[in-house]
Amino acid sequence: MTSTAFDDHERLQWAGKAAAYRDSFAALCAYPAGSLLDAAEVGAGVRVLDVGTGTGTVAALACARAAKVTAVDAEPSMLAIAGRRAPDAETRHAILPHLPFPAGSFDAVVANFVINHVGDPEAAVREMRRVVRPGGRLAVTIWPYPPPPAQQLWTTIFEAAAVPRPTDLPRVAPEKDFARDADGLAGLLGRAGLGDVRCDTITWTHRTHPEAWWAGPANGIGTAGTLLLRQDQATIARIRHHYDRHTDAYRDAGGELELPTAALLAVAPVD
Ligand SMILES: C[S@@+](CC[C@H](N)C(=O)[O-])C[C@H]1O[C@@H](n2cnc3c(N)ncnc32)[C@H](O)[C@@H]1O
């Protein structure tokens, strides 16, 4: 199991970005955390592995349920924050598609918006399945495609500012990719050896301050961040102008953004 060009780009993309992630998109990713843990039946005493823990949202919530939590991430700066946020969790460095645990080590394995960041999604799911004990559960979330309005906004803004999409960023190889819809995610889990997969779409409105929503890409988070950091000051000012214009429709009376969004949540028992 080797790392792909996509994985190498992900390592660079997240390097040193934990604080920027915590202060921007972590709040967006937090919404399904409870549903993810419910789907994986994580409660008191359950041994759960949170893969790609980021700044520890899911790990902290699992600790609050008195679960026995292990949290891993590929990015050391994420682990530093996750460790402070979930001090009762054991935190370790690990990079999918390899997890440094014997087979069957956990009652449940969860990954919140992580499978969409790996170059070989099937190998990643297979590896997560390996470390679940027979009778345990595996649950994952990803963003759907086509993107919901919150995420689509960035494409709209860059198009309006006449900033072309980058063509040089590595993509998941077509033979390893899967459709980012309920059937596609369920099919991926099936190919990774899981049966009885259930996949639901969760929808919600993400409420955030306009500066917090801007801060993610402005600090290099995500593809929008990679693109934004490549621009000169004049272009960034032009993008910001279109950001203000296009987010206007989503502002509530107090000036906060109300952004409709959605995630796919898949869960499967491990036999
Ligand atoms: C969108 S963030 C989600 C973080 C967290 N699960 C949450 O809900 O806030 C994606 C995380 O996956 C991690 N990640 C990306 N690729 C990974 C890999 N191959 N192995 C382990 N972690 C990975 C990143 O470092 C980042 O912390």
Side-chain angles (χ1 to χ4, degrees):
M1 293 189 284
T2 52
S3 104
T4 65
F6 182 87
D7 292 302
D8 295 344
H9 174 72
E10 283 284 324
R11 294 294 75 71
L12 288 173
Q13 171 86 42
W14 289 108
K17 299 275 173 50
Y21 174 71
R22 176 197 59 200
D23 298 339
S24 56
F25 291 163
L28 173 73
C29 295
Y31 185 88
S35 303
L36 183 70
L37 292 177
D38 290 345
E41 298 180 349
V42 174
V46 170
R47 296 168 303 162
V48 60
L49 175 66
D50 179 24
V51 179
T53 189
T55 48
T57 303
V58 174
L61 192 60
C63 287
R65 294 183 179 198
K68 292 181 182 157
V69 183
T70 304
V72 299
D73 201 281
E75 166 52 27
S77 68
M78 293 288 187
L79 288 170
I81 292 181
R84 292 197 293 276
R85 183 129 177 248
D88 291 335
E90 180 189 341
T91 50
R92 283 181 70 168
H93 185 248
I95 304 178
L96 284 171
H98 176 68
L99 295 170
F101 306 103
S105 297
F106 299 96
D107 303 310
V109 172
V110 295
N112 199 34
F113 302 113
V114 179
I115 295 309
N116 45 306
H117 289 284
V118 300
D120 189 342
E122 185 183 322
V125 174
R126 228 174 243 292
E127 178 68 347
M128 292 195 292
R129 175 185 178 276
R130 183 186 68 79
V131 300
V132 181
R133 67 159 170 83
R137 294 172 88 78
L138 173 64
V140 302
T141 55
I142 61 163
W143 300 115
Y145 190 89
Q151 283 85 345
Q152 177 61 32
L153 250 181
W154 289 107
T155 305
T156 306
I157 290 160
F158 283 118
E159 281 175 6
V163 175
R165 299 286 296 172
T167 53
D168 58 329
L169 298 184
R171 305 172 72 92
V172 175
E175 68 276 13
K176 292 190 189 300
D177 209 355
F178 65 100
R180 309 303 166 108
D181 56 25
D183 287 346
L185 182 57
L188 172 74
L189 267 61
R191 286 194 299 284
L194 292 146
D196 288 332
V197 181
R198 209 189 76 210
C199 188
D200 296 314
T201 301
I202 301 174
T203 59
W204 72 101
T205 299
H206 178 54
R207 292 187 170 75
T208 183
H209 193 277
E211 294 312 321
W213 193 244
W214 173 258
N219 288 293
I221 303 292
T223 305
T226 301
L227 191 49
L228 201 59
L229 291 190
R230 288 177 173 185
Q231 310 306 318
D232 59 27
Q233 286 307 314
T235 309
I236 292 174
R238 194 168 77 241
I239 295 167
R240 178 66 201 219
H241 166 77
H242 288 284
Y243 174 84
D244 291 336
R245 202 159 71 82
H246 283 277
T247 51
D248 208 39
Y250 295 100
R251 285 175 203 243
D252 68 12
E256 296 278 306
L257 299 181
E258 294 190 327
L259 302 170
T261 191
L264 300 170
L265 166 56
V267 60
V270 172
D271 52 24

